């Protein structure tokens, strides 16, 4: 039995994400929660002839039944960007939404694998961690910031450049999930040695600001939804395969480095001691994070990107942590 709850299931990401999850034979119960429209979305999806049961839950009074006993909770709830905004501009609204959903998860599904999509991810993941700590149920191996869209974009953009099928291009991306904190390690991608420094810098910038490309093209109608649904489903299904079906799967994801003490030490040797959350390559298994894998070697250019990312990331993390410290829970 695998119960997955999507919080924000009626939204631009939530609906296609739920559709992709409904396709999976691994899920037995797909629980859809939102503050609007989930009965309709659930009725619609429930007609698809895959075996999972679909239930719809709407509004705070139905949050407990939605989330109770979940094995995986995916959170794409909250507002998206409009042109001219940074992800950090979403903090004011989304921090409270994520805190309240995390509180329900800590109470009713404390062992769930938490997959956080809502922005700003650099801050919302520390918010979930702090809420779980306050409820005495924190396990850093089970809380993930979903940065898979950065990986998906990198596969596409780099694949186009080096003439490979994008699905065969795996690019490690570390750091955070906003602009300069997104650190693509292109030097480790086989075939990238054919790229000039100018090409590397251009494609790095495109990966870092891929979200802005979509926000601009949507022109006020939101940010990436379909590609995010694809990436979110990939990540959630990776967790399910690893946690419940014995597969060892590696994904880059934004975690608290305490999830693996030895891995944390090795990572901090590269990134410095002052950063506690970082997107890293992680081996997933029955407990979530089984181990944090090495970041690997960096080119001089990548090293310079690290330096630029540090201050912003530290500020984002502190903002999330302080928000919960200042909240009455
Ligand atoms: P959207 O506005 O289309 O959908 C958001 C949904 O959240 C809506 O249905 C809304 O009713 C719901 N919601 C609001 N408050 C809620 C609450 N308290 N409980 C449950 N549901 C609630 O937005 P979207 O385009 O789906 O984006 C959602 C979030 O995902 C945004 O914060 C966006 O920035 C983020 N995002 C992250 C990534 C990533 O790579 N991690 C990628 C794309 C978007
Ligand atoms: C993305 O990377 O597409 C998301 O984080 C949404 C955004 O605001 O850019």
């Amino acid at each position: 039995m695998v119960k997955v709850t999507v919080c924000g299931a009626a939204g631009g990401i939530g609906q296609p994400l739920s559709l992709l999850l409904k396709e999976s034979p691994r899920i037995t119960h797909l629980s859809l929660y939102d503050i609007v429209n989930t009965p309709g979305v659930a009725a619609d999806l429930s007609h698809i002839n895959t075996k999972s049961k679909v239930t719809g839950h709407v509004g705070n009074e139905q949050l407990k039944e939605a989330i109770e006993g979940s094995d995986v909770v995916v959170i794409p709830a909250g507002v998206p960007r409009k042109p001219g905004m940074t992800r950090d501009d979403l903090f004011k609204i989304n921090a409270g939404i994520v805190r309240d959903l995390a509180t329900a998860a800590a109470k009713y599904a404390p062992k769930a694998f938490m997959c956080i999509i809502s922005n700003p991810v650099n801050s919302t993941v520390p918010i979930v961690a702090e809420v779980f700590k306050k409820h005495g149920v924190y396990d850093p191996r089970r809380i993930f910031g979903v940065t898979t869209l950065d990986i998906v974009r990198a596969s596409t953009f780099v694949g186009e450049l080096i003439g490979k099928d994008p699905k065969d291009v795996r690019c490690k991306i570390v750091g955070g999930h906003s602009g300069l904190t997104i650190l693509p390690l292109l030097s480790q991608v086989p075939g990238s040695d054919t790229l000039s420094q100018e090409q590397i810098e251009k494609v790095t910038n495109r990966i870092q600001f891929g979200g802005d490309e979509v926000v601009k093209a949507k022109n006020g109608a939101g940010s990436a939804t379909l590609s995010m649904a694809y990436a979110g489903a990939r990540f959630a299904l990776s967790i399910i395969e690893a946690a419940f079906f014995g597969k060892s799967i590696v994904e880059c994801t934004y975690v608290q480095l305490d999830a693996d003490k030895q891995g944390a030490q090795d990572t901090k040797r590269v990134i410095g001691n002052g950063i506690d959350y970082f997107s890293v390559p992680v081996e997933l298994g029955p407990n979530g994070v089984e181990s944090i894998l090495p970041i690997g070697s960096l080119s001089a250019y990548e090293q310079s990107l690290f330096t630029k990312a540090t201050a912003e990331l530290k500020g984002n993390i502190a903002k999330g942590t302080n928000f919960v410290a200042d909240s009455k829970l």
Side-chain angles (χ1 to χ4, degrees):
M1 293 285 285
V2 177
K3 176 175 176 181
V4 178
T5 299
V6 179
C7 296
I13 296 167
Q15 290 203 38
L17 171 63
S18 301
L19 171 63
L20 293 170
L21 296 176
K22 175 65 181 140
E23 271 206 296
S24 169
R26 299 302 205 186
I27 297 170
T28 36
H29 180 178
L30 184 56
S31 169
L32 308 182
Y33 176 75
D34 203 301
I35 50 170
V36 290
N37 298 339
T38 32
V41 178
D44 190 355
L45 284 180
S46 71
H47 289 191
I48 294 175
N49 59 333
T50 54
K51 74 173 182 199
S52 51
K53 175 175 85 170
V54 183
T55 55
H57 312 268
V58 71
N60 197 39
E61 58 291 350
Q62 294 181 13
L63 178 54
K64 177 179 181 217
E65 68 184 33
I67 228 166
E68 197 156 42
S70 298
D71 298 294
V72 178
V73 175
V74 191
I75 305 187
V79 289
R81 283 198 285 167
K82 289 191 184 335
M85 292 172 84
T86 66
R87 290 179 184 80
D88 187 53
D89 292 334
L90 303 173
F91 186 94
K92 254 195 193 138
I93 298 180
N94 289 354
I97 292 174
V98 171
R99 176 198 58 205
D100 296 346
L101 292 169
T103 302
K107 283 186 189 161
Y108 307 125
K111 292 269 180 208
F113 297 105
M114 301 292 294
C115 307
I116 315 306
I117 293 174
S118 312
N119 272 316
V121 167
N122 293 357
S123 307
T124 51
V125 172
I127 287 175
V128 176
E130 292 303 313
V131 168
F132 272 58
K133 278 184 204 168
K134 278 203 171 181
H135 284 83
V137 293
Y138 181 53
D139 180 349
R141 298 172 303 171
R142 304 174 97 85
I143 297 175
F144 306 93
V146 182
T147 56
T148 321
L149 181 52
D150 301 323
I151 307 285
V152 166
R153 284 182 177 134
S155 297
T156 307
F157 303 160
V158 175
E160 277 165 11
L161 265 184
I162 63 177
K164 277 198 184 162
D165 184 336
K167 82 170 169 20
D168 299 328
V169 179
R170 292 286 286 207
C171 177
K172 226 184 250 175
I173 300 190
V174 298
H177 176 69
S178 69
L180 295 178
T181 71
I182 299 172
L183 304 170
L185 303 183
L186 300 180
S187 66
Q188 297 179 25
V189 177
S192 66
D193 50 346
T194 58
L195 299 176
S196 67
Q197 184 58 26
E198 193 188 346
Q199 284 175 308
I200 287 173
E201 291 185 18
K202 253 189 158 165
V203 76
T204 297
N205 186 271
R206 191 171 177 212
I207 296 163
Q208 291 180 318
F209 295 93
D212 298 68
E213 200 178 293
V214 180
V215 169
K216 196 170 165 219
K218 290 201 174 179
N219 197 20
S223 57
T225 53
L226 302 172
S227 51
M228 182 60 237
Y230 173 86
R234 164 172 148 182
F235 187 76
L237 293 170
S238 288
I239 299 255
I240 290 170
E241 286 297 334
F244 305 111
F245 296 95
K247 281 206 185 150
S248 165
I249 297 183
V250 175
E251 292 281 4
C252 285
T253 170
Y254 183 73
V255 292
Q256 193 186 22
L257 294 170
D258 280 353
D260 167 17
K261 296 265 186 287
Q262 183 58 52
Q265 269 183 25
D266 297 343
T267 305
K268 287 183 177 184
R269 239 174 261 129
V270 182
I271 68 171
N273 269 325
I275 299 185
D276 294 326
Y277 291 81
F278 214 68
S279 186
V280 277
V282 154
E283 188 190 354
L284 299 169
N287 300 303
V289 176
E290 292 303 321
S291 60
I292 293 173
L293 302 175
I295 285 181
S297 60
L298 307 180
S299 67
Y301 172 63
E302 288 158 3
Q303 191 66 59
S304 75
L305 296 177
F306 265 68
T307 314
K308 285 186 200 149
T310 311
E312 184 175 333
L313 195 48
K314 273 188 190 169
N316 295 155
I317 294 166
K319 195 168 172 178
T321 308
N322 294 338
F323 177 75
V324 179
D326 295 342
S327 294
K328 283 200 189 96
L329 286 186

